Amino acid sequence: MKRQAMAAAMGVMAVFGAPGKAQAYDIDCAIMLCMAGGFPPSAVCARAYRTMIRRITPWPSLPPFGVCTFAHVPVELGGPGGEGELDTTLPEYEWLNRTHVIWFTGQAYRERGGEQYWDWSLRSCDRENRTCRYIQRVYRSHTPWPEAFVSEGGQEIAYPTGGGSSYFYLRSIMVEYGDYEGNMGHSEWFSY
């Protein structure tokens, strides 16, 4: 329902909005707005999704998004037309510091002789990709990874699913974020 409402709102904006002003939003704003709606189908959200994935999939990853501002929007489109950066150390931007990129790598394999093993790891990086730490690292387990884990933000998050055969390799990534009221949320897993 939430996804449909967001898609409808984006559709109405696309039909009735002025094309010049629609381009006024920077890509960080588009990523945040589209992520909140689960990346509903639209040209803007498709571009936002591609940009976010392009930022977080290389190693080391770039931050998935920054602060949504109109800093680079020309004055004639209603923006300040400036080049200045926003001070994100202020208390009103604390929500941005709760953003983490969570990396998952897992595999199942069978050694000669027939025993099946599973390896998996979860790594969490801050929004600037300066600090990364392992949440979990397991090698040569006789059982698959569990159903869920507890993130740095205190959320219980389901592991990504994949495989189904005795040999597979899975690499996925997600973004955990908090809003300005302190509520935590997360994106779905993106496999790559």
Side-chain angles (χ1 to χ4, degrees), residues 141-152:
S141 172
H142 290 284
T143 59
W145 48 85
E147 295 286 321
F149 67 95
V150 177
S151 69
E152 287 184 273

Side-chain angles (χ1 to χ4, degrees), residues 40-59:
S42 73
V44 172
C45 288
R47 180 172 170 248
Y49 176 81
R50 284 191 309 271
T51 301
M52 183 184 78
I53 295 303
R54 188 172 47 249
R55 286 180 182 176
I56 63 178
T57 51
W59 183 254

